Amino acid sequence: MGLIRTVAEKLSRNRVLLRHLPRDFNSAPIHVSPDASLSLWNPHLKSDLFDLARQFVNPGDTIWDIGANVGLFTIAAAQKAGPNGSVLAIEPDPWLAALLERTVNAQPSTAAPIHIMPVAVSNQIGIQTFHIARRNRASSHLSSIAEHSQAGGTRETLQVRCITLDSLLEQTPDQTPPPNLVKIDVEGSELDLLDGAHRLLTEVRPIIMCESQHRNRPATTTIFRRYNYKLYDWNSNPRVEVETAAFNTLAIPIPS
C-alpha cells in the first residue's frame, strides 16, 4: 500500500480534474486536484462538508470558509446561499487559490457571489512563512505550527500575508453582512486563529465548524466555553453534545 500511495501521490502532483457536486447542489462544476487529497481521484465527490452546507446554510446567508482548499464547502455553500448570499473563501496556498478561482468563474448565476482571499489567518496581522506540504497540499501549514504527519516534509516555502478573523469584519467586500457560519480547517493554527476572533465570537456569534488537532483540543474547548458555545462531535452518529472539542467540532452559540 505504501508503494501504491507513493505512485498515486506522484501522479497527482499539480493534476487538475473537473468534477461536479451532487445534484442537490445543482451539480455545480468544480476543479479539483488529487494533489490536495487522493480521494479526489474518485469522480463521485463525497464530503461531510456537504452535510454541513445542507443542514446549516440558508438562502441569503453569509459564509466564511477558512482554509478552503479546492473549495468543496465554498461551492456547496454558494449553491445553498443563493444569489442573495455571499461566500468568502480564504486559502493561503496560491496554487489552490488559483484553482478555486477557475471554479468560481464557472458557477451559475443562481449561486452566491464568492470572494477569494489568498491569505492565512492567525492572531495578528503581518507576514509569515508558509510551508507547502510535499505529499498532500491539504497539510500545508504556517511555520509557527508543527508539521502534520500527512505533510511528508516541505515542497516549498512562501511568504504569505496573515490577517485575523476580527480584521475580516472590517475587510469583507461590498459591505456584506457578518457571517452566519464559519468553517475552519487550518492544519493546527486553530488556536491562533481563535485568539484573533474576540469580536467575532462575542458580537457576531456565528455557528462554527472547526477542525482541531489532538494537541489543541483542550485549549480549543476552553476558548469555546469562554464564549458560551455548545460543542458537538460532528463525526459522531448520532451527533451528541460533548464536553471536549473533537477533531471536527460543531460549535453552536448559546443564546444569551
Side-chain angles (χ1 to χ4, degrees):
M1 288 297 292
L3 178 60
I4 293 174
R5 184 179 182 91
T6 298
V7 171
E9 288 170 349
K10 289 181 178 180
L11 291 173
S12 299
R13 185 67 65 93
N14 298 328
R15 183 68 62 91
V16 175
L17 305 169
L18 177 62
R19 300 286 188 244
H20 290 83
L21 267 60
R23 289 183 180 179
D24 59 327
F25 296 109
N26 303 318
S27 299
I30 182 170
H31 294 282
V32 303
S33 176
D35 198 4
S37 172
L38 291 179
S39 66
L40 294 172
W41 280 111
N42 190 331
H44 303 291
L45 297 179
K46 295 181 180 180
S47 174
D48 288 344
L49 296 174
F50 295 157
D51 288 335
L52 180 66
R54 290 181 179 111
Q55 294 183 40
F56 291 103
V57 178
N58 299 302
D61 278 356
T62 298
I63 308 299
W64 289 2
D65 186 356
I66 314 299
N69 199 271
V70 299
L72 292 181
F73 181 66
T74 292
I75 303 306
Q79 304 307 313
K80 291 300 182 184
N84 293 322
S86 65
V87 178
L88 177 62
I90 303 291
E91 177 48 58
D93 182 335
W95 191 82
L96 289 177
L99 188 63
L100 183 52
E101 187 73 43
R102 288 179 61 183
T103 294
V104 169
N105 290 335
Q107 296 310 298
S109 60
T110 53
I114 300 169
H115 181 69
I116 302 169
M117 293 184 68
V119 300
V121 183
S122 188
N123 58 353
Q124 57 186 346
I125 297 172
I127 302 295
Q128 289 197 42
T129 300
F130 188 71
H131 293 258
I132 303 296
R134 184 179 300 279
R135 289 182 54 201
N136 181 347
R137 294 190 91 108
S139 299
S140 300
H141 58 92
L142 291 170
S143 60
S144 57
I145 303 303
E147 180 181 296
H148 192 282
S149 61
Q150 295 299 312
T154 297
R155 186 182 311 187
E156 62 177 313
T157 58
L158 308 170
Q159 297 300 301
V160 298
R161 184 164 69 97
C162 285
I163 61 174
T164 68
L165 287 185
D166 280 351
S167 72
L168 272 179
L169 292 174
E170 308 297 333
Q171 297 179 36
T172 47
D174 302 323
Q175 302 301 310
T176 55
N180 305 94
L181 171 65
V182 178
K183 171 235 143 187
I184 299 168
D185 183 355
V186 289
E187 297 304 308
S189 296
E190 54 271 9
L191 295 183
D192 286 345
L193 180 149
L194 292 171
D195 185 48
H198 173 74
R199 182 182 165 205
L200 181 78
L201 296 173
T202 55
E203 298 178 15
V204 180
R205 300 185 59 72
I207 295 171
I208 296 177
M209 170 64 78
C210 181
E211 180 182 290
S212 185
Q213 300 296 322
H214 187 272
R215 63 183 180 275
N216 292 337
R217 290 174 202 169
T220 300
T221 303
T222 299
I223 292 170
F224 280 127
R225 295 298 185 196
R226 181 189 311 148
Y227 290 103
N228 204 27
Y229 273 75
K230 285 186 177 181
L231 305 181
Y232 298 84
D233 182 351
W234 181 255
N235 298 120
S236 67
N237 187 18
R239 196 165 297 129
V240 294
E241 185 176 356
V242 292
E243 292 297 320
T244 303
F247 177 67
N248 284 314
T249 296
L250 178 68
I252 305 290
I254 300 172
S256 56

